[in-house]
Every structure is written in structure tokens, then in C-alpha cells.
Amino acid sequence: MADAPIERNRIVITLNKFLTVIDDIILFLVAFGIIGVAILLMAEAITDYINFTAHSISHIISDLMFVLIIMELYRQVMRQIHRHTFSLNPFIYIGVIASIRGILLTQMKLGMGETEWSGGVVQLIVHALIVLILILGLFFYAKYQKMSE
């Protein structure tokens, strides 16, 4: 009778180790995929830079900002691989970078006359409010983390 719980415990430990290895393999594949996408985006930005036209500026900035977003995701995957504790900070950073990217692209489209003025201003306001909310969220999250330590 005493052998049954011990055998069950061994099965659970073995299964846990197996699933952890599978988890690590998937995380490494995701990390390589993220790096691959970042490299492709950088290559596209370099191509846009070499074949420069007036409309390339917004494309180059968009690609570079998107690479920043992707690299923040990569950092989060690496945190998971190294078994660090979960943090909202990288996701807040991603949101801030994405909103700043939106502000820059909208401003450029307004400057080039590609976007209607009233719609562009509304987009700028929305992106600015998102940045403000995320920065406030980061501030309160950091305060909460300090209090919980």
C-alpha cells in the first residue's frame, strides 16, 4: 500500500520534468522566431533606407519601432526561459513603444498630407492618453511592488 503513493509521486515528478523540457523547447523556438522576425524587419528598414523616397521615412521609423516592440517580447520570453518571476513591466514598455510609434506615424502622415487633420488629431490624442495611462500604470505597479517586498 505504501508503494502506490511513492510510485504515483515518481510518475508526477517524471511527467513534470518532461513537460518542463517541452516548455523550454517551445520557448526557445519562439525566441528564435522573434529574432528571425526582427532580422527581417531590420533588413526591410535597411532596404527602405537604401532605396530612399519621401515616403520611406515613415516606413523606416515604423519598422524600427516595431523591432523595439519585438525585442521587448523577446526579453519577456528570455525571462520565462530563465524562470524569472512574471512582471508587467515589459508589457507596459511594449504598450508605450507602440503608442509612441503610433504618435510618430500619425504625425508624419499629417505632415505629408496623407491623413485628414481631424482624424489625425484624434489619433494623436488617443495615443498620448494611452502613453499617459501606461506611465501611470507603471508608476503604481512599481509602488505596489515596493510595498509587497
Side-chain angles (χ1 to χ4, degrees), residues 1-13:
M1 287 274 182
D3 289 340
I6 293 172
E7 183 63 29
R8 183 173 177 214
N9 196 20
R10 268 192 220 139
I11 291 171
V12 169
I13 290 171

Side-chain angles (χ1 to χ4, degrees), residues 38-93:
I39 290 169
L40 288 174
L41 280 170
M42 286 300 297
E44 185 177 323
I46 290 168
T47 304
D48 284 345
Y49 186 75
I50 291 169
N51 304 323
F52 186 79
T53 65
H55 295 284
S56 293
I57 296 171
S58 61
H59 230 271
I60 293 168
I61 289 176
S62 174
D63 288 346
L64 293 176
M65 296 294 280
F66 197 52
V67 169
L68 282 176
I69 292 168
I70 288 172
M71 293 313 295
E72 280 299 325
L73 288 172
Y74 170 77
R75 286 186 192 103
Q76 184 58 28
V77 170
M78 293 309 293
R79 287 178 59 82
Q80 292 293 322
I81 289 171
H82 294 298
R83 305 286 188 251
H84 291 227
T85 57
F86 179 79
S87 174
L88 283 178
N89 290 348
F91 299 105
I92 295 173
Y93 299 152

